[in-house]
Amino acid sequence: MEFLKTSLLLLAIFMAFLCSSQGYVFYVGGKQGWSANPSEDYVQWAERNRFQVNDTLVFKYEKGQNSVLVVNREDYYKCNVENPINKYTDGNTEFKLDRSGSFFFIGGNADYCQKGQRLIVVVLAVRNETQTPTPTPSVPGNPPVLSPPSESPEGSPSPASSPAGDENSPAPAPHGSAPGLTRPVVWVLGVGFGVSVVLGNFVGLYI
C-alpha cells in the first residue's frame, strides 16, 4: 500500500505539471470584450495583468462586424489596418502568447482603432529556476604586507599581527537573494500538495 500511495502522489504531481504548462487564459477587456467603444482603455486593462509565455488571450466580439489584427509597432500607432501580421474574424479569437516581448493588436476598422480598440501586451521573459548570483568584482588594491614576528619571552604568546591594508580591503559581497518561484511552480506545488493529501486520505480508508 505504501508503494500505491507513492505512485498516486507522483501521478498527481505529474498531472499538475501538465496543467501548468498550458498557462492562463485572459478574456480581453473582461465583460465588455473586444469592443469598438470600450468603457475601459485596453492598455490600462493590460497593465493590471501579468502575462507570461503560454498564456492565452481570448477576444470576444460580434462576428462579421469586427475583427482582430496582429500588427507591428509602427502600424499599431498609425492604426494601419492594411498590412496585418495576422487577421482573425471568427468572433471568439484565441491567441497564444508563445514568446516573451510585446504584441500589438488593433481592431479591423481604422475608425475603431482611433476610438481606442487597440491593445499592447508585454509578455515577461522566461526565468530560469536556478540562477547563479553574479560575483561582485573586487576592488584592486595593494597586497597585504605581513610584519615580521616580534621576539617574545619563551612561553608568552606573541600578539597576532594584522596585515597592512585590511582597512582598505573590500568587504565580502553579500549573498544574492534566492530566485523567487515562478507562477506555474507555485501553482504546481499547491495543487500537488492538495491532491496528495486527498489521495492519501482516500487510500488510507482501505489500508
mmCIF file with all atom_site columns, all heavy atoms in Angstrom, residues 70-73 95 97 99-105 119-124:
data_model
loop_
_atom_site.group_PDB
_atom_site.id
_atom_site.type_symbol
_atom_site.label_atom_id
_atom_site.label_alt_id
_atom_site.label_comp_id
_atom_site.label_asym_id
_atom_site.label_entity_id
_atom_site.label_seq_id
_atom_site.pdbx_PDB_ins_code
_atom_site.Cartn_x
_atom_site.Cartn_y
_atom_site.Cartn_z
_atom_site.occupancy
_atom_site.B_iso_or_equiv
_atom_site.pdbx_formal_charge
_atom_site.auth_seq_id
_atom_site.auth_comp_id
_atom_site.auth_asym_id
_atom_site.auth_atom_id
_atom_site.pdbx_PDB_model_num
ATOM 1   N N   . VAL A 1 70  ? -3.273 41.450 -35.727 1.00 0.00 ? 70  VAL A N   1
ATOM 2   C CA  . VAL A 1 70  ? -1.965 41.477 -35.085 1.00 0.00 ? 70  VAL A CA  1
ATOM 3   C C   . VAL A 1 70  ? -1.045 42.271 -36.001 1.00 0.00 ? 70  VAL A C   1
ATOM 4   O O   . VAL A 1 70  ? -0.882 41.932 -37.179 1.00 0.00 ? 70  VAL A O   1
ATOM 5   C CB  . VAL A 1 70  ? -1.412 40.054 -34.872 1.00 0.00 ? 70  VAL A CB  1
ATOM 6   C CG1 . VAL A 1 70  ? -0.075 40.107 -34.132 1.00 0.00 ? 70  VAL A CG1 1
ATOM 7   C CG2 . VAL A 1 70  ? -2.405 39.202 -34.111 1.00 0.00 ? 70  VAL A CG2 1
ATOM 8   N N   . VAL A 1 71  ? -0.467 43.340 -35.471 1.00 0.00 ? 71  VAL A N   1
ATOM 9   C CA  . VAL A 1 71  ? 0.328  44.248 -36.304 1.00 0.00 ? 71  VAL A CA  1
ATOM 10  C C   . VAL A 1 71  ? 1.675  44.523 -35.642 1.00 0.00 ? 71  VAL A C   1
ATOM 11  O O   . VAL A 1 71  ? 1.926  44.115 -34.505 1.00 0.00 ? 71  VAL A O   1
ATOM 12  C CB  . VAL A 1 71  ? -0.429 45.575 -36.536 1.00 0.00 ? 71  VAL A CB  1
ATOM 13  C CG1 . VAL A 1 71  ? -1.714 45.343 -37.304 1.00 0.00 ? 71  VAL A CG1 1
ATOM 14  C CG2 . VAL A 1 71  ? -0.721 46.273 -35.204 1.00 0.00 ? 71  VAL A CG2 1
ATOM 15  N N   . ASN A 1 72  ? 2.527  45.240 -36.368 1.00 0.00 ? 72  ASN A N   1
ATOM 16  C CA  . ASN A 1 72  ? 3.804  45.652 -35.793 1.00 0.00 ? 72  ASN A CA  1
ATOM 17  C C   . ASN A 1 72  ? 3.623  46.977 -35.046 1.00 0.00 ? 72  ASN A C   1
ATOM 18  O O   . ASN A 1 72  ? 2.551  47.578 -35.053 1.00 0.00 ? 72  ASN A O   1
ATOM 19  C CB  . ASN A 1 72  ? 4.886  45.757 -36.866 1.00 0.00 ? 72  ASN A CB  1
ATOM 20  C CG  . ASN A 1 72  ? 4.526  46.737 -37.976 1.00 0.00 ? 72  ASN A CG  1
ATOM 21  O OD1 . ASN A 1 72  ? 3.876  47.760 -37.736 1.00 0.00 ? 72  ASN A OD1 1
ATOM 22  N ND2 . ASN A 1 72  ? 4.933  46.428 -39.201 1.00 0.00 ? 72  ASN A ND2 1
ATOM 23  N N   . ARG A 1 73  ? 4.699  47.420 -34.424 1.00 0.00 ? 73  ARG A N   1
ATOM 24  C CA  . ARG A 1 73  ? 4.632  48.623 -33.595 1.00 0.00 ? 73  ARG A CA  1
ATOM 25  C C   . ARG A 1 73  ? 4.212  49.857 -34.405 1.00 0.00 ? 73  ARG A C   1
ATOM 26  O O   . ARG A 1 73  ? 3.363  50.638 -33.975 1.00 0.00 ? 73  ARG A O   1
ATOM 27  C CB  . ARG A 1 73  ? 5.995  48.870 -32.933 1.00 0.00 ? 73  ARG A CB  1
ATOM 28  C CG  . ARG A 1 73  ? 6.044  50.100 -32.030 1.00 0.00 ? 73  ARG A CG  1
ATOM 29  C CD  . ARG A 1 73  ? 7.473  50.354 -31.569 1.00 0.00 ? 73  ARG A CD  1
ATOM 30  N NE  . ARG A 1 73  ? 7.955  49.266 -30.753 1.00 0.00 ? 73  ARG A NE  1
ATOM 31  C CZ  . ARG A 1 73  ? 7.813  49.203 -29.423 1.00 0.00 ? 73  ARG A CZ  1
ATOM 32  N NH1 . ARG A 1 73  ? 7.193  50.180 -28.774 1.00 0.00 ? 73  ARG A NH1 1
ATOM 33  N NH2 . ARG A 1 73  ? 8.284  48.170 -28.746 1.00 0.00 ? 73  ARG A NH2 1
ATOM 34  N N   . PHE A 1 95  ? -5.675 33.654 -28.892 1.00 0.00 ? 95  PHE A N   1
ATOM 35  C CA  . PHE A 1 95  ? -4.307 33.952 -29.332 1.00 0.00 ? 95  PHE A CA  1
ATOM 36  C C   . PHE A 1 95  ? -3.344 33.543 -28.229 1.00 0.00 ? 95  PHE A C   1
ATOM 37  O O   . PHE A 1 95  ? -3.386 34.072 -27.123 1.00 0.00 ? 95  PHE A O   1
ATOM 38  C CB  . PHE A 1 95  ? -4.151 35.439 -29.659 1.00 0.00 ? 95  PHE A CB  1
ATOM 39  C CG  . PHE A 1 95  ? -2.806 35.796 -30.228 1.00 0.00 ? 95  PHE A CG  1
ATOM 40  C CD1 . PHE A 1 95  ? -2.576 35.733 -31.592 1.00 0.00 ? 95  PHE A CD1 1
ATOM 41  C CD2 . PHE A 1 95  ? -1.771 36.187 -29.397 1.00 0.00 ? 95  PHE A CD2 1
ATOM 42  C CE1 . PHE A 1 95  ? -1.330 36.064 -32.124 1.00 0.00 ? 95  PHE A CE1 1
ATOM 43  C CE2 . PHE A 1 95  ? -0.524 36.512 -29.918 1.00 0.00 ? 95  PHE A CE2 1
ATOM 44  C CZ  . PHE A 1 95  ? -0.298 36.447 -31.283 1.00 0.00 ? 95  PHE A CZ  1
ATOM 45  N N   . LEU A 1 97  ? 0.216  33.380 -26.421 1.00 0.00 ? 97  LEU A N   1
ATOM 46  C CA  . LEU A 1 97  ? 1.447  34.158 -26.288 1.00 0.00 ? 97  LEU A CA  1
ATOM 47  C C   . LEU A 1 97  ? 2.621  33.183 -26.220 1.00 0.00 ? 97  LEU A C   1
ATOM 48  O O   . LEU A 1 97  ? 2.938  32.643 -25.159 1.00 0.00 ? 97  LEU A O   1
ATOM 49  C CB  . LEU A 1 97  ? 1.382  35.034 -25.035 1.00 0.00 ? 97  LEU A CB  1
ATOM 50  C CG  . LEU A 1 97  ? 0.165  35.972 -24.961 1.00 0.00 ? 97  LEU A CG  1
ATOM 51  C CD1 . LEU A 1 97  ? 0.106  36.661 -23.607 1.00 0.00 ? 97  LEU A CD1 1
ATOM 52  C CD2 . LEU A 1 97  ? 0.206  36.995 -26.090 1.00 0.00 ? 97  LEU A CD2 1
ATOM 53  N N   . ARG A 1 99  ? 5.862  33.627 -26.950 1.00 0.00 ? 99  ARG A N   1
ATOM 54  C CA  . ARG A 1 99  ? 7.212  34.164 -26.750 1.00 0.00 ? 99  ARG A CA  1
ATOM 55  C C   . ARG A 1 99  ? 7.140  35.349 -25.789 1.00 0.00 ? 99  ARG A C   1
ATOM 56  O O   . ARG A 1 99  ? 6.058  35.880 -25.517 1.00 0.00 ? 99  ARG A O   1
ATOM 57  C CB  . ARG A 1 99  ? 7.808  34.616 -28.088 1.00 0.00 ? 99  ARG A CB  1
ATOM 58  C CG  . ARG A 1 99  ? 7.000  35.716 -28.764 1.00 0.00 ? 99  ARG A CG  1
ATOM 59  C CD  . ARG A 1 99  ? 7.697  36.319 -29.959 1.00 0.00 ? 99  ARG A CD  1
ATOM 60  N NE  . ARG A 1 99  ? 6.859  37.306 -30.651 1.00 0.00 ? 99  ARG A NE  1
ATOM 61  C CZ  . ARG A 1 99  ? 6.707  38.557 -30.267 1.00 0.00 ? 99  ARG A CZ  1
ATOM 62  N NH1 . ARG A 1 99  ? 7.330  39.002 -29.182 1.00 0.00 ? 99  ARG A NH1 1
ATOM 63  N NH2 . ARG A 1 99  ? 5.934  39.401 -30.956 1.00 0.00 ? 99  ARG A NH2 1
ATOM 64  N N   . SER A 1 100 ? 8.279  35.750 -25.296 1.00 0.00 ? 100 SER A N   1
ATOM 65  C CA  . SER A 1 100 ? 8.325  36.958 -24.484 1.00 0.00 ? 100 SER A CA  1
ATOM 66  C C   . SER A 1 100 ? 8.447  38.179 -25.389 1.00 0.00 ? 100 SER A C   1
ATOM 67  O O   . SER A 1 100 ? 8.793  38.073 -26.571 1.00 0.00 ? 100 SER A O   1
ATOM 68  C CB  . SER A 1 100 ? 9.515  36.903 -23.522 1.00 0.00 ? 100 SER A CB  1
ATOM 69  O OG  . SER A 1 100 ? 10.728 36.801 -24.245 1.00 0.00 ? 100 SER A OG  1
ATOM 70  N N   . GLY A 1 101 ? 8.126  39.346 -24.850 1.00 0.00 ? 101 GLY A N   1
ATOM 71  C CA  . GLY A 1 101 ? 8.200  40.563 -25.633 1.00 0.00 ? 101 GLY A CA  1
ATOM 72  C C   . GLY A 1 101 ? 6.836  41.209 -25.806 1.00 0.00 ? 101 GLY A C   1
ATOM 73  O O   . GLY A 1 101 ? 5.883  40.899 -25.087 1.00 0.00 ? 101 GLY A O   1
ATOM 74  N N   . SER A 1 102 ? 6.720  42.099 -26.786 1.00 0.00 ? 102 SER A N   1
ATOM 75  C CA  . SER A 1 102 ? 5.496  42.881 -26.991 1.00 0.00 ? 102 SER A CA  1
ATOM 76  C C   . SER A 1 102 ? 4.669  42.331 -28.154 1.00 0.00 ? 102 SER A C   1
ATOM 77  O O   . SER A 1 102 ? 5.215  41.894 -29.175 1.00 0.00 ? 102 SER A O   1
ATOM 78  C CB  . SER A 1 102 ? 5.849  44.340 -27.270 1.00 0.00 ? 102 SER A CB  1
ATOM 79  O OG  . SER A 1 102 ? 6.554  44.907 -26.189 1.00 0.00 ? 102 SER A OG  1
ATOM 80  N N   . PHE A 1 103 ? 3.345  42.368 -27.960 1.00 0.00 ? 103 PHE A N   1
ATOM 81  C CA  . PHE A 1 103 ? 2.379  42.019 -29.005 1.00 0.00 ? 103 PHE A CA  1
ATOM 82  C C   . PHE A 1 103 ? 1.457  43.223 -29.200 1.00 0.00 ? 103 PHE A C   1
ATOM 83  O O   . PHE A 1 103 ? 1.027  43.852 -28.229 1.00 0.00 ? 103 PHE A O   1
ATOM 84  C CB  . PHE A 1 103 ? 1.550  40.797 -28.615 1.00 0.00 ? 103 PHE A CB  1
ATOM 85  C CG  . PHE A 1 103 ? 2.335  39.507 -28.571 1.00 0.00 ? 103 PHE A CG  1
ATOM 86  C CD1 . PHE A 1 103 ? 3.043  39.155 -27.433 1.00 0.00 ? 103 PHE A CD1 1
ATOM 87  C CD2 . PHE A 1 103 ? 2.362  38.647 -29.659 1.00 0.00 ? 103 PHE A CD2 1
ATOM 88  C CE1 . PHE A 1 103 ? 3.764  37.973 -27.384 1.00 0.00 ? 103 PHE A CE1 1
ATOM 89  C CE2 . PHE A 1 103 ? 3.081  37.463 -29.626 1.00 0.00 ? 103 PHE A CE2 1
ATOM 90  C CZ  . PHE A 1 103 ? 3.782  37.122 -28.485 1.00 0.00 ? 103 PHE A CZ  1
ATOM 91  N N   . PHE A 1 104 ? 1.117  43.505 -30.449 1.00 0.00 ? 104 PHE A N   1
ATOM 92  C CA  . PHE A 1 104 ? 0.294  44.663 -30.775 1.00 0.00 ? 104 PHE A CA  1
ATOM 93  C C   . PHE A 1 104 ? -0.976 44.206 -31.500 1.00 0.00 ? 104 PHE A C   1
ATOM 94  O O   . PHE A 1 104 ? -0.906 43.490 -32.497 1.00 0.00 ? 104 PHE A O   1
ATOM 95  C CB  . PHE A 1 104 ? 1.074  45.644 -31.658 1.00 0.00 ? 104 PHE A CB  1
ATOM 96  C CG  . PHE A 1 104 ? 2.352  46.141 -31.032 1.00 0.00 ? 104 PHE A CG  1
ATOM 97  C CD1 . PHE A 1 104 ? 3.547  45.456 -31.210 1.00 0.00 ? 104 PHE A CD1 1
ATOM 98  C CD2 . PHE A 1 104 ? 2.356  47.293 -30.257 1.00 0.00 ? 104 PHE A CD2 1
ATOM 99  C CE1 . PHE A 1 104 ? 4.721  45.912 -30.639 1.00 0.00 ? 104 PHE A CE1 1
ATOM 100 C CE2 . PHE A 1 104 ? 3.532  47.753 -29.672 1.00 0.00 ? 104 PHE A CE2 1
ATOM 101 C CZ  . PHE A 1 104 ? 4.712  47.069 -29.859 1.00 0.00 ? 104 PHE A CZ  1
ATOM 102 N N   . PHE A 1 105 ? -2.127 44.632 -30.983 1.00 0.00 ? 105 PHE A N   1
ATOM 103 C CA  . PHE A 1 105 ? -3.425 44.256 -31.554 1.00 0.00 ? 105 PHE A CA  1
ATOM 104 C C   . PHE A 1 105 ? -4.237 45.521 -31.822 1.00 0.00 ? 105 PHE A C   1
ATOM 105 O O   . PHE A 1 105 ? -4.231 46.449 -31.007 1.00 0.00 ? 105 PHE A O   1
ATOM 106 C CB  . PHE A 1 105 ? -4.203 43.350 -30.599 1.00 0.00 ? 105 PHE A CB  1
ATOM 107 C CG  . PHE A 1 105 ? -3.468 42.121 -30.159 1.00 0.00 ? 105 PHE A CG  1
ATOM 108 C CD1 . PHE A 1 105 ? -2.676 42.142 -29.011 1.00 0.00 ? 105 PHE A CD1 1
ATOM 109 C CD2 . PHE A 1 105 ? -3.555 40.945 -30.883 1.00 0.00 ? 105 PHE A CD2 1
ATOM 110 C CE1 . PHE A 1 105 ? -2.000 41.010 -28.589 1.00 0.00 ? 105 PHE A CE1 1
ATOM 111 C CE2 . PHE A 1 105 ? -2.869 39.805 -30.476 1.00 0.00 ? 105 PHE A CE2 1
ATOM 112 C CZ  . PHE A 1 105 ? -2.092 39.840 -29.332 1.00 0.00 ? 105 PHE A CZ  1
ATOM 113 N N   . LEU A 1 119 ? -4.583 47.312 -28.406 1.00 0.00 ? 119 LEU A N   1
ATOM 114 C CA  . LEU A 1 119 ? -4.054 46.697 -27.185 1.00 0.00 ? 119 LEU A CA  1
ATOM 115 C C   . LEU A 1 119 ? -2.576 46.354 -27.369 1.00 0.00 ? 119 LEU A C   1
ATOM 116 O O   . LEU A 1 119 ? -2.171 45.821 -28.400 1.00 0.00 ? 119 LEU A O   1
ATOM 117 C CB  . LEU A 1 119 ? -4.843 45.424 -26.873 1.00 0.00 ? 119 LEU A CB  1
ATOM 118 C CG  . LEU A 1 119 ? -4.281 44.463 -25.827 1.00 0.00 ? 119 LEU A CG  1
ATOM 119 C CD1 . LEU A 1 119 ? -4.339 45.082 -24.429 1.00 0.00 ? 119 LEU A CD1 1
ATOM 120 C CD2 . LEU A 1 119 ? -5.056 43.147 -25.853 1.00 0.00 ? 119 LEU A CD2 1
ATOM 121 N N   . ILE A 1 120 ? -1.792 46.670 -26.342 1.00 0.00 ? 120 ILE A N   1
ATOM 122 C CA  . ILE A 1 120 ? -0.390 46.231 -26.261 1.00 0.00 ? 120 ILE A CA  1
ATOM 123 C C   . ILE A 1 120 ? -0.266 45.263 -25.095 1.00 0.00 ? 120 ILE A C   1
ATOM 124 O O   . ILE A 1 120 ? -0.675 45.580 -23.977 1.00 0.00 ? 120 ILE A O   1
ATOM 125 C CB  . ILE A 1 120 ? 0.575  47.411 -26.041 1.00 0.00 ? 120 ILE A CB  1
ATOM 126 C CG1 . ILE A 1 120 ? 0.481  48.413 -27.185 1.00 0.00 ? 120 ILE A CG1 1
ATOM 127 C CG2 . ILE A 1 120 ? 2.017  46.904 -25.923 1.00 0.00 ? 120 ILE A CG2 1
ATOM 128 C CD1 . ILE A 1 120 ? 1.368  49.635 -26.983 1.00 0.00 ? 120 ILE A CD1 1
ATOM 129 N N   . VAL A 1 121 ? 0.298  44.096 -25.361 1.00 0.00 ? 121 VAL A N   1
ATOM 130 C CA  . VAL A 1 121 ? 0.539  43.105 -24.311 1.00 0.00 ? 121 VAL A CA  1
ATOM 131 C C   . VAL A 1 121 ? 2.040  42.840 -24.242 1.00 0.00 ? 121 VAL A C   1
ATOM 132 O O   . VAL A 1 121 ? 2.671  42.521 -25.260 1.00 0.00 ? 121 VAL A O   1
ATOM 133 C CB  . VAL A 1 121 ? -0.216 41.789 -24.597 1.00 0.00 ? 121 VAL A CB  1
ATOM 134 C CG1 . VAL A 1 121 ? 0.254  40.690 -23.657 1.00 0.00 ? 121 VAL A CG1 1
ATOM 135 C CG2 . VAL A 1 121 ? -1.712 42.005 -24.448 1.00 0.00 ? 121 VAL A CG2 1
ATOM 136 N N   . VAL A 1 122 ? 2.606  42.992 -23.058 1.00 0.00 ? 122 VAL A N   1
ATOM 137 C CA  . VAL A 1 122 ? 4.029  42.736 -22.851 1.00 0.00 ? 122 VAL A CA  1
ATOM 138 C C   . VAL A 1 122 ? 4.163  41.442 -22.050 1.00 0.00 ? 122 VAL A C   1
ATOM 139 O O   . VAL A 1 122 ? 3.686  41.343 -20.914 1.00 0.00 ? 122 VAL A O   1
ATOM 140 C CB  . VAL A 1 122 ? 4.715  43.898 -22.105 1.00 0.00 ? 122 VAL A CB  1
ATOM 141 C CG1 . VAL A 1 122 ? 6.197  43.592 -21.891 1.00 0.00 ? 122 VAL A CG1 1
ATOM 142 C CG2 . VAL A 1 122 ? 4.548  45.199 -22.887 1.00 0.00 ? 122 VAL A CG2 1
ATOM 143 N N   . VAL A 1 123 ? 4.804  40.452 -22.658 1.00 0.00 ? 123 VAL A N   1
ATOM 144 C CA  . VAL A 1 123 ? 4.977  39.140 -22.034 1.00 0.00 ? 123 VAL A CA  1
ATOM 145 C C   . VAL A 1 123 ? 6.321  39.100 -21.333 1.00 0.00 ? 123 VAL A C   1
ATOM 146 O O   . VAL A 1 123 ? 7.357  39.455 -21.920 1.00 0.00 ? 123 VAL A O   1
ATOM 147 C CB  . VAL A 1 123 ? 4.887  38.023 -23.088 1.00 0.00 ? 123 VAL A CB  1
ATOM 148 C CG1 . VAL A 1 123 ? 5.054  36.654 -22.434 1.00 0.00 ? 123 VAL A CG1 1
ATOM 149 C CG2 . VAL A 1 123 ? 3.554  38.102 -23.833 1.00 0.00 ? 123 VAL A CG2 1
ATOM 150 N N   . LEU A 1 124 ? 6.308  38.691 -20.080 1.00 0.00 ? 124 LEU A N   1
ATOM 151 C CA  . LEU A 1 124 ? 7.537  38.622 -19.292 1.00 0.00 ? 124 LEU A CA  1
ATOM 152 C C   . LEU A 1 124 ? 8.482  37.571 -19.848 1.00 0.00 ? 124 LEU A C   1
ATOM 153 O O   . LEU A 1 124 ? 8.057  36.546 -20.375 1.00 0.00 ? 124 LEU A O   1
ATOM 154 C CB  . LEU A 1 124 ? 7.212  38.309 -17.835 1.00 0.00 ? 124 LEU A CB  1
ATOM 155 C CG  . LEU A 1 124 ? 6.306  39.308 -17.116 1.00 0.00 ? 124 LEU A CG  1
ATOM 156 C CD1 . LEU A 1 124 ? 6.016  38.821 -15.703 1.00 0.00 ? 124 LEU A CD1 1
ATOM 157 C CD2 . LEU A 1 124 ? 6.937  40.685 -17.074 1.00 0.00 ? 124 LEU A CD2 1
#
